[in-house]
Amino acid sequence: NAGVTQTPKFQVLKTGQSMTLQCAQDMNHEYMSWYRQDPGMGLRLIHYSVGAGITDQGEVPNGYNVSRSTTEDFPLRLLSAAPSQTSVYFCASISREGNRYNEQFFGPGTRLTVL
Amino acid sequence: EDKVVQSPLSLVVHEGDTVTLNCSYEVTNFRSLLWYKQEKKAPTFLFMLTSSGIEKKSGRLSSILDKKELFSILNITATQTGDSAVYLCALRGNTPLVFGKGTRLSVIA
């Protein structure tokens, strides 16, 4: 298994540009989520999905869109990049046994800079 | 709103010391509490706690949960320089994990 993969690893955007951060997992996990990590702020939840076709907002959803057309993929779209979105972005998926969710697996992260 | 507070925010110790990291929380519907270690890249999983009073151990690391007083501690004995990292506490309630800001541990030789 490749686990959780993210692309790109690094990206520089200009203010107003749009782009999509890709996330994929091959563990058949239903639950996936996107976090951003900023110095002194910890990991904050942007959006999450409990299965294909279902998404919901987290703590800091503004400026981001997500979709979940397949179990494997959970892309994060920046509609119009702003310098405040400069951050490290982590995608994660959660393993499940019956009704119980277990540990969360993280992707390697995408470092995004918006100029 | 679910909330996680970690203390201290940073800590510097010498090799061989024992450290205790604290995590207190507020939650509407508790499901589990998790500890992660983060070095330069993505967090790596350490423990998941769901029941009070049951200590989880892995080598020199151990953790315990108190659901009555709403806190957890992570202990590291005989610290080594390789333990230097940010330790994250995360809470699972009704939504995916809510993270604390982390404790930055620096172990000096």
Side-chain angles (χ1 to χ4, degrees):
Chain A
N1 285 349
V4 181
T5 58
Q6 289 183 238
T7 56
K9 291 185 180 178
F10 302 94
Q11 182 71 47
V12 178
L13 293 177
K14 293 182 180 179
T15 297
Q17 287 184 312
S18 62
M19 80 158 294
T20 299
L21 307 185
Q22 301 291 344
C23 174
Q25 52 92 9
D26 61 357
M27 298 174 281
N28 202 33
H29 290 169
E30 294 177 349
Y31 217 131
M32 296 183 74
S33 49
W34 275 103
Y35 294 88
R36 60 178 287 174
Q37 187 171 35
D38 304 294
M41 298 294 290
L43 280 154
R44 292 183 293 169
L45 181 67
I46 305 172
H47 285 284
Y48 66 99
S49 168
V50 299
I54 306 169
T55 63
D56 207 345
Q57 295 181 349
E59 183 184 358
V60 287
N62 292 341
Y64 307 95
N65 273 358
V66 291
S67 60
R68 186 93 180 273
S69 55
T70 66
T71 299
E72 294 77 21
D73 299 298
F74 191 42
L76 178 73
R77 278 182 287 278
L78 280 71
L79 308 173
S80 177
S84 61
Q85 293 178 305
T86 294
S87 188
V88 180
Y89 291 85
F90 289 102
C91 178
S93 71
I94 303 174
S95 66
R96 177 175 161 176
E97 295 175 13
N99 289 325
R100 174 179 156 140
Y101 288 100
N102 294 323
E103 64 177 285
Q104 185 157 263
F105 294 87
F106 284 88
T110 295
R111 185 175 292 276
L112 175 68
T113 301
V114 182
L115 303 175
Chain B
E1 182 181 325
D2 297 348
K3 185 177 174 183
V4 177
V5 177
Q6 292 187 245
S7 63
L9 291 180
S10 66
L11 190 57
V12 180
V13 301
H14 288 95
E15 271 193 315
D17 287 350
T18 294
V19 298
T20 298
L21 310 183
N22 302 294
C23 174
S24 62
Y25 63 89
E26 298 173 15
V27 65
T28 302
N29 180 22
F30 179 90
R31 296 193 179 188
S32 58
L33 186 144
L34 292 84
W35 284 96
Y36 288 85
K37 176 182 181 182
Q38 186 175 27
E39 296 173 89
K40 293 186 178 179
K41 297 185 180 178
T44 54
F45 174 78
L46 294 175
F47 299 111
M48 184 172 75
L49 303 158
T50 55
S51 301
S52 285
I54 298 175
E55 186 182 43
K56 294 282 184 93
K57 291 196 75 170
S58 176
R60 295 176 294 101
L61 277 66
S62 64
S63 183
I64 197 161
L65 174 68
D66 186 327
K67 289 169 72 174
K68 181 179 178 184
E69 299 297 329
L70 306 183
F71 76 90
S72 173
I73 59 172
L74 175 68
N75 278 322
I76 309 174
T77 58
T79 52
Q80 303 171 356
T81 54
D83 295 327
S84 295
V86 175
Y87 291 83
L88 297 166
C89 175
L91 178 68
R92 179 169 296 134
N94 287 329
T95 59
L97 297 179
V98 174
F99 284 82
K101 294 184 179 181
T103 293
R104 180 174 296 279
L105 175 65
S106 300
V107 181
I108 55 178

